[in-house]
Amino acid sequence: MHQLGRMGPLVLLLLLHLALPSSINLVAAGSVFDRSLSLPFQFPSALRGEPNEISGFWVLFRDLFVRSVFGLPKANDRQGGTLLPSTEKMQASRNGSPSNLLARYGGDLVLRFEINDADEAKALAEASNILFLDVWESREDWVDIRISKEVIPSLLGLLPPTMQRSHKPVIQDLAQAVFNSYPTSESVHFSAPPAQGRSTLAPVHTSGRPVENLFFRDYQPLSVIVPWMRLLASLYPSHVRMISVGTSYEGRDILALRVGVHPTNSQKPLSPRKTIVIAGGTHAREWISTSTVNYISYGLVTAFGKSPWSTKLLEEFDWVFIPTLNPDGYVYTWDRDRLWRKNRQETTVGFCKGVDLDRNWESHWDGVTAKGNPCSESYPGEEPFEAVESRTFAQWAKNETQNNNVELVGFMDFHSYSQQVLYPFSYSCAASPPNLENLKELALGIAKAFRSSSGEHYAVVSACEGGVTRSPGGKKILHPRMETGGGSALDWFSQEMQVPYAYQLKLRDTGSYGFLLPKENIIPTGEEALAAVNYFGRFILKSIDDVSPQAGGPLDASGAVKGVQSTSDKETLGDLDNDAPPSRSLAENEVDGNWELRRRRRR
């Protein structure tokens, strides 16, 4: 493989010639869009065929091409997350020089305030609203706030005496942290700059180095993500399609990969296709959510036909992977402001653009609290579904279920940060979904999948509990929330669409870097999230079809085959699939091409 990489672009072009079909279709539900990208060569007639009739010759060349372009991280290189030694920092994207970052973020830091009672929570919430502060994250006993050093005295002046010393810096030099989050020169080892007309997906191999997975070695801009998605769909046409699930305010398509293998048994009645939606990038600055959704999709796509359980999950479900629901905001974080959160929609205040896409859904929309402040980071808009992105995505979801024979059975909305698995409802702790016990059980299993994969702890709480703490006696006490919880996608999919298993997952970390998580965490976060999604799919499959996730064995460790019942802490993730554990890495899924053969021999 090293020799293939050294042979250069001509070999890659030949592989493209052999591997890609004559056209790449972008399939859109409804009438969002329908267009094709024509390629300057024809698919060889010997390899031409329907998507479900791919020859072994084609599969061989396809896998060869994927490995040569994207590479495979070695197990020993993945342990610490880093893949190459650090070199000089590349110029920070199109933001320009560090001086521009200093102009925007210089003098800012992130403070963590410890919260001890309801009065302190209320005082901090009110002071943050008065000073238009950017609240990064809040848990039951702490709140992270981005603030200028010059504003700290004003904030402390609005807080009670007990809070004057109950804070500490989490990020002291925000400008440097922002600068560090952009790509580095060693993580963008492409064959040539795009201006020279050569592919930015072709890796450069240095002597003695293993083939690296370039795409996941760093965060990627939308201009790289979209071609990558298109290429993945063209390389795996048997089970991957590129679709649009909506449009943005600035006219960009909200692109997704639809992954699944549809049944061909004509004697079996055609029932609604069970579908799971995995979304990220609702808040533009949460780059780790976008890279994680891409990692999960790549993991399932490349494991098809190699891992029995991954294959089964793609046969039983359609998976819709949406890496960025907020493409306008995501592009803006690369072009202008790394910490931009909302979309880029005009508001009633000309200098305060943007609507919070996770506060504009129609389910229990709470516009009374914050609709008069378009400058707020959690501004919910003037009315439900005012944000183009949330409205068109909701229209897509309804169109799928009403007109395209789709049944939505799962929804996972990836965010950052704080390492939490959140279940409905978000708008209020006074109400509970009817299947609360099942939601809790699956949430605990998801958290255990994270921990089993990487050792990272993910808390399991209701999405409403951002303002809840526990007294010494164990009683829950409701605190004022730092932002409204109404109008969330989580509640809309749970209530309006009746999705039985809907979650919001907040990824790494717990505050050391916040939204500026270093690139070394991309692969470890992706691997633990892939394990969680594998568990998620198996649990839903069992709950729907009463199929045991382990051949001849139970979901829990007790040895009894049961229905969907609470397993609490007795559950052992390794027992879900002894042959292919959820923590299996992309490299292992790719390399182990003879896995199925060995599995059959053991039977």
Side-chain angles (χ1 to χ4, degrees):
M1 196 60 62
H2 301 308
Q3 293 176 351
L4 175 64
R6 297 190 189 102
M7 292 172 69
L10 292 178
V11 172
L12 292 176
L13 183 60
L14 176 61
L15 287 175
L16 272 172
H17 179 82
L18 291 170
L20 297 183
S22 58
S23 65
I24 302 171
N25 293 322
L26 303 182
V27 184
S31 60
V32 177
F33 75 94
D34 185 8
R35 64 174 181 263
S36 298
L37 173 67
S38 297
L39 296 175
F41 49 82
Q42 293 295 318
F43 192 57
S45 58
L47 302 180
R48 191 177 294 124
E50 296 300 320
N52 290 325
E53 299 175 350
I54 307 298
S55 68
F57 185 66
W58 146 251
V59 172
L60 176 64
F61 268 98
R62 180 196 66 192
D63 291 347
L64 186 66
F65 177 74
V66 170
R67 293 192 181 99
S68 66
V69 173
F70 299 117
L72 297 173
K74 297 292 184 179
N76 57 352
D77 287 334
R78 293 194 315 270
Q79 298 304 316
T82 183
L83 293 173
L84 283 178
S86 178
T87 62
E88 62 181 3
K89 181 66 68 174
M90 190 179 73
Q91 188 179 28
S93 185
R94 287 169 289 184
N95 271 328
S97 65
S99 61
N100 288 348
L101 300 181
L102 289 172
R104 183 179 292 274
Y105 310 109
D108 285 9
L109 71 161
V110 178
L111 289 181
R112 172 164 295 182
F113 284 85
E114 303 294 334
I115 304 297
N116 297 308
D117 55 46
D119 291 336
E120 290 185 354
K122 180 179 179 180
L124 186 57
E126 292 176 347
S128 299
N129 289 331
I130 292 172
L131 298 174
F132 301 111
L133 299 180
D134 181 6
V135 177
W136 276 27
E137 188 56 73
S138 61
R139 293 279 294 263
E140 66 275 6
D141 55 355
W142 55 260
V143 176
D144 288 349
I145 297 178
R146 172 191 169 186
I147 188 172
S148 170
K149 295 176 182 178
E150 298 176 350
V151 181
I152 293 177
S154 300
L155 174 60
L156 295 179
L158 296 173
L159 300 178
T162 56
M163 299 192 70
Q164 297 301 308
R165 297 184 178 277
S166 62
H167 58 84
K168 62 181 179 181
V170 177
I171 301 177
Q172 299 205 47
D173 189 344
L174 190 60
Q176 185 63 47
V178 167
F179 182 66
N180 292 341
S181 71
Y182 282 103
T184 56
S185 56
E186 83 276 3
S187 62
V188 193
H189 275 197
F190 300 132
S191 59
Q196 298 182 24
R198 297 169 68 184
S199 171
T200 60
L201 293 176
V204 166
H205 301 282
T206 57
S207 178
R209 297 295 306 175
V211 177
E212 306 288 3
N213 192 319
L214 292 181
F215 188 78
F216 296 111
R217 275 172 42 194
D218 221 322
Y219 296 106
Q220 305 295 346
L222 194 65
S223 59
V224 173
I225 291 174
V226 172
W228 178 83
M229 293 171 67
R230 186 177 292 120
L231 184 59
L232 204 62
S234 69
L235 291 172
Y236 298 91
S238 63
H239 55 288
V240 183
R241 289 184 296 153
M242 193 171 181
I243 66 172
S244 173
V245 298
T247 55
S248 72
Y249 175 76
E250 295 179 351
R252 294 180 175 90
D253 290 310
I254 302 174
L255 297 174
L257 292 177
R258 188 169 209 135
V259 182
V261 181
H262 289 231
T264 57
N265 186 356
S266 59
Q267 297 181 354
K268 184 179 180 180
L270 186 62
S271 58
R273 179 65 172 172
K274 295 177 176 58
T275 300
I276 296 173
V277 176
I278 310 291
T282 295
H283 295 142
R285 62 191 176 188
E286 298 169 8
W287 287 4
I288 190 62
S289 68
T290 295
S291 66
T292 297
V293 172
N294 284 331
Y295 193 97
I296 296 167
S297 65
Y298 186 65
L300 283 179
V301 165
T302 56
F304 178 74
K306 300 179 178 67
S307 164
W309 264 110
S310 295
T311 301
K312 184 171 183 61
L313 290 178
L314 267 59
E315 290 173 343
E316 297 295 331
F317 301 116
D318 266 10
W319 298 77
V320 179
F321 295 99
I322 313 166
T324 174
L325 280 168
N326 183 7
D328 296 349
Y330 188 73
V331 169
Y332 194 75
T333 62
W334 285 83
D335 287 348
R336 299 292 298 277
D337 183 358
R338 171 65 180 85
L339 295 175
W340 186 260
R341 168 184 165 105
K342 302 180 287 183
N343 74 352
R344 293 294 299 161
Q345 194 161 328
E346 297 286 347
T347 68
T348 54
V349 178
F351 56 85
C352 289
K353 287 187 176 183
V355 175
D356 184 347
L357 297 186
D358 201 37
R359 293 293 173 260
N360 190 241
W361 293 74
E362 200 170 33
S363 180
H364 300 280
W365 177 77
D366 182 14
V368 177
T369 304
K371 76 173 184 178
N373 181 14
C375 297
S376 169
E377 292 290 344
S378 56
Y379 176 57
E382 294 295 314
E383 61 184 6
F385 286 138
E386 178 185 4
V388 176
E389 293 85 354
S390 57
R391 181 174 69 250
T392 56
F393 181 35
Q395 290 169 351
W396 171 85
K398 285 195 170 184
N399 182 64
E400 288 291 291
T401 57
Q402 295 173 2
N403 302 318
N404 291 335
N405 199 33
V406 164
E407 178 187 357
L408 296 178
V409 296
F411 176 69
M412 298 183 87
D413 188 15
F414 282 91
H415 288 254
S416 70
Y417 57 97
S418 72
Q419 297 184 194
Q420 291 180 303
V421 181
L422 306 177
Y423 55 85
F425 294 124
S426 173
Y427 76 93
S428 173
C429 290
S432 298
N435 62 333
L436 179 61
E437 290 304 314
N438 285 346
L439 282 167
K440 285 184 177 180
E441 179 190 5
L442 178 49
L444 289 170
I446 291 171
K448 193 168 290 186
F450 276 108
R451 189 166 66 250
S452 176
S453 172
S454 64
E456 291 292 327
H457 174 74
Y458 279 69
V460 174
V461 294
S462 170
C464 73
E465 294 196 13
V468 173
T469 189
R470 288 169 175 78
S471 66
K475 182 180 179 181
K476 289 185 177 181
I477 302 175
L478 185 63
H479 285 180
R481 298 183 64 148
M482 298 302 296
E483 62 180 23
T484 176
S488 71
L490 174 67
D491 288 354
W492 189 84
F493 275 92
S494 176
Q495 291 189 301
E496 179 68 23
M497 300 303 295
Q498 296 293 299
V499 177
Y501 297 103
Y503 297 91
Q504 182 179 112
L505 290 93
K506 295 191 175 183
L507 299 167
R508 298 188 186 188
D509 59 3
T510 55
S512 297
Y513 296 97
F515 303 122
L516 305 173
L517 194 67
K519 64 184 178 67
E520 287 81 7
N521 290 269
I522 293 175
I523 291 177
T525 303
E527 288 188 351
E528 67 191 22
L530 178 59
V533 168
N534 269 309
Y535 184 94
F536 182 68
R538 296 171 195 182
F539 186 100
I540 296 177
L541 182 61
K542 183 179 189 301
S543 69
I544 293 173
D545 297 332
D546 196 26
V547 175
S548 171
Q550 180 184 356
L555 183 67
D556 60 300
S558 65
V561 179
K562 302 179 180 180
V564 180
Q565 299 178 12
S566 177
T567 57
S568 186
D569 288 333
K570 294 186 293 182
E571 184 174 305
T572 303
L573 286 175
D575 290 339
L576 287 175
D577 189 351
N578 287 329
D579 290 328
S583 58
R584 189 179 180 86
S585 69
L586 295 191
E588 293 166 325
N589 277 336
E590 286 278 356
V591 173
D592 194 2
N594 297 320
W595 192 96
E596 174 67 14
L597 179 61
R598 294 202 307 271
R599 179 173 178 269
R600 290 176 179 174
R601 287 174 178 172
R602 285 199 301 266
R603 287 182 172 179

